[in-house]
Amino acid sequence: FKFFCRFFKKMPYQKLFLWSLFLFVISFVLREFLIPHIYHVYYDAFYYQEIAKNIYYNHSFSRILMGSHFHLNLLANSHRPGGYPFLLAFIFRVFGISENVAFLVNVIMGSFSVVFVFWIAYLFFRKIDVSIWSAVVFLFLPVHLRYSTSASSDIFALCFILAGGLLLLVYLDTRKKSLFYLVGLLIVFSSYIRPENILLYLILPGLLIHEYKNCLLYTSYAADELDG
């Protein structure tokens, strides 16, 4: 926590946090109250919620073929990724089982995604106006609006990807190794939500090679200075 405090103190953090809060509220209000909450990917949304319910009631990552959550007759192991149902089961345990809870969670994750885009743009360009426009454009993207008000896994996966991208930029600015490992964990978990996200691992080997080359150049330069 102290590390992040020191990191953000180098920036106009009060203005940045106020804009972050404003964008989150606007995004939340738009997605929660103005866009209808409907299922766009019917099978996936119902499927994940049923698995989450089964994790909650029976501690089993499976779907029910016969019976109910209280009187099981026949179960089938799920072949889908477990990241989203696992998180959904935990949320159901806290807030109760309801499709409205699943919709609300997607709205919140979609709103956080807008804030993450704002911070990513700022760390790239170091200009608040550029980061604001980037977040506004993302906020009104029709596809993101549509799926933020559904109950599928896409918005969850995207939110974790953006969080990993943001931490990666913070790592590149600070070179704190724990952040690099955290980026890797976020990519792993996002790929457990959507398997195609594993392709993002291609970023990490490239980054490691880049860091290794920089280390060699620095060592070589230091050795030349000592010899000189």
Side-chain angles (χ1 to χ4, degrees), residues 2-193:
K2 290 181 180 179
F3 163 76
F4 283 106
C5 288
R6 289 195 299 269
F7 176 74
F8 288 121
K9 278 185 178 179
K10 303 175 185 176
M11 310 172 187
Y13 63 93
Q14 292 181 335
K15 190 179 293 186
L16 289 169
F17 279 107
L18 284 175
W19 272 110
S20 299
L21 179 61
F22 176 76
L23 289 167
F24 180 86
V25 171
I26 293 297
S27 178
F28 181 85
V29 170
L30 179 63
R31 286 158 171 76
E32 178 65 16
F33 300 109
L34 301 181
I35 307 295
H37 295 183
I38 58 176
Y39 291 103
H40 297 292
V41 186
Y42 293 94
Y43 181 74
D44 279 4
F46 291 126
Y47 189 95
Y48 285 127
Q49 288 185 61
E50 284 303 310
I51 295 173
K53 290 177 186 177
N54 214 29
I55 294 173
Y56 174 78
Y57 283 120
N58 304 300
H59 309 289
S60 174
F61 183 69
S62 58
R63 57 193 179 96
I64 299 172
L65 297 181
M66 292 179 62
S68 68
H69 294 291
F70 306 102
H71 299 91
L72 300 176
N73 293 326
L74 184 61
L75 290 174
N77 290 331
S78 174
H79 62 280
R80 298 297 183 92
Y84 180 53
F86 171 77
L87 289 175
L88 206 54
F90 176 77
I91 293 165
F92 282 165
R93 184 172 293 276
V94 176
F95 297 103
I97 294 177
S98 170
E99 67 174 10
N100 292 328
V101 172
F103 281 124
L104 178 60
V105 168
N106 255 19
V107 167
I108 293 172
M109 298 298 277
S111 302
F112 272 117
S113 297
V114 174
V115 175
F116 290 154
V117 168
F118 171 79
W119 279 96
I120 288 171
Y122 181 79
L123 292 179
F124 258 119
F125 301 103
R126 302 290 175 165
K127 294 182 179 179
I128 293 181
D129 54 344
V130 174
S131 57
I132 292 170
W133 280 109
S134 301
V136 168
V137 169
F138 187 80
L139 191 156
F140 290 105
L141 279 179
V143 174
H144 194 262
L145 280 172
R146 182 183 181 189
Y147 283 94
S148 293
T149 55
S150 180
S152 59
S153 62
D154 308 87
I155 297 300
F156 256 86
L158 178 61
C159 189
F160 277 95
I161 290 170
L162 291 172
L166 176 58
L167 288 177
L168 181 61
L169 291 176
V170 176
Y171 162 75
L172 291 173
D173 195 48
T174 61
R175 305 299 178 183
K176 192 171 179 63
K177 289 183 179 179
S178 57
L179 287 178
F180 184 80
Y181 301 140
L182 184 56
V183 170
L185 288 174
L186 284 173
I187 292 177
V188 168
F189 193 78
S190 70
S191 64
Y192 193 43
I193 300 174

Side-chain angles (χ1 to χ4, degrees), residues 184-204:
L185 288 174
L186 284 173
I187 292 177
V188 168
F189 193 78
S190 70
S191 64
Y192 193 43
I193 300 174
R194 299 286 300 185
E196 61 270 23
N197 292 343
I198 200 67
L199 295 174
L200 294 171
Y201 256 122
L202 297 176
I203 297 173
L204 299 183

